[in-house]
C-alpha cells in the first residue's frame, strides 16, 4: 500500500517552447480590434483580454494563421493543423536538445 500511495519524483530534463515565424506576430491593437468582431467574444471577454494584455508588458502576440482572417477559421482541419504545428515543433525541439531520436 505504501508503494502505491507514495509521491513519485518527477525530473525536468529539458524544456522546449514553440517559436513562431515573424509573419504570425500581431500587434495588440490589431488583436483587440479583431476580437470585437470575432464570434464567441462578448464585451466582458474583450475587456478581460484588454486588461490582461495591458499588464503583460508585451508589445505583440503570436496568432496562428487561421486567426488572422475575419471571421477566423473555426473548422476542425484548421484547428488540427495549428495543434500539429505547435506540438510537433515543441517535441522535435525537445528531442533535439536532449539528444534523443524518435522511435520508429
Amino acid at each position: 500500500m505504501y508503494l502505491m500511495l507514495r509521491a513519485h519524483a518527477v525530473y525536468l530534463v529539458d524544456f522546449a517552447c514553440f517559436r513562431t515565424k515573424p509573419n504570425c506576430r500581431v500587434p495588440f491593437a490589431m488583436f483587440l480590434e479583431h476580437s470585437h468582431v470575432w464570434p464567441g467574444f462578448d464585451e466582458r471577454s474583450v475587456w478581460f483580454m484588454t486588461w490582461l494584455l495591458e499588464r503583460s508588458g508585451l508589445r505583440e502576440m503570436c496568432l496562428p494563421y487561421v486567426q488572422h482572417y475575419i471571421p477566423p477559421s473555426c473548422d476542425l482541419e484548421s484547428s488540427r493543423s495549428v495543434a500539429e504545428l505547435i506540438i510537433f515543433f515543441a517535441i522535435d525541439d525537445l528531442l533535439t536538445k536532449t539528444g534523443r531520436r524518435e522511435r520508429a
Side-chain angles (χ1 to χ4, degrees), residues 35-36 38-47 49:
S35 64
H36 284 285
W38 283 349
F41 289 153
D42 59 357
E43 286 301 316
R44 187 173 173 181
S45 299
V46 173
W47 174 85
M49 287 187 289

Side-chain angles (χ1 to χ4, degrees), residues 53-72:
L53 293 174
E54 286 174 351
R55 284 155 182 77
S56 69
L58 301 173
R59 302 210 183 275
E60 59 185 19
M61 60 188 310
C62 297
L63 291 176
Y65 297 118
V66 296
Q67 292 182 348
H68 284 222
Y69 304 106
I70 296 178

Side-chain angles (χ1 to χ4, degrees), residues 2 4 10 12 17 31 40 46 53 58 66 74-76 83 87 89 91-92 94 96 100 104:
Y2 169 75
M4 290 174 48
V10 176
L12 177 64
C17 296
F31 170 75
V46 173
L53 293 174
L58 301 173
V66 296
C74 297
D75 62 345
L76 183 62
I87 293 168
F89 179 88
I91 290 175
D92 288 343
L94 182 62
T96 302
R100 301 283 180 182

Side-chain angles (χ1 to χ4, degrees), residues 71-88:
S73 178
C74 297
D75 62 345
L76 183 62
E77 187 61 36
S78 299
S79 300
R80 182 179 179 195
S81 67
V82 170
E84 285 179 353
L85 174 71
I86 294 169
I87 293 168
F88 291 157

Side-chain angles (χ1 to χ4, degrees), residues 91-92 95 100-104:
I91 290 175
D92 288 343
L95 291 173
R100 301 283 180 182
R101 292 190 328 206
E102 297 178 34
R103 291 186 179 187

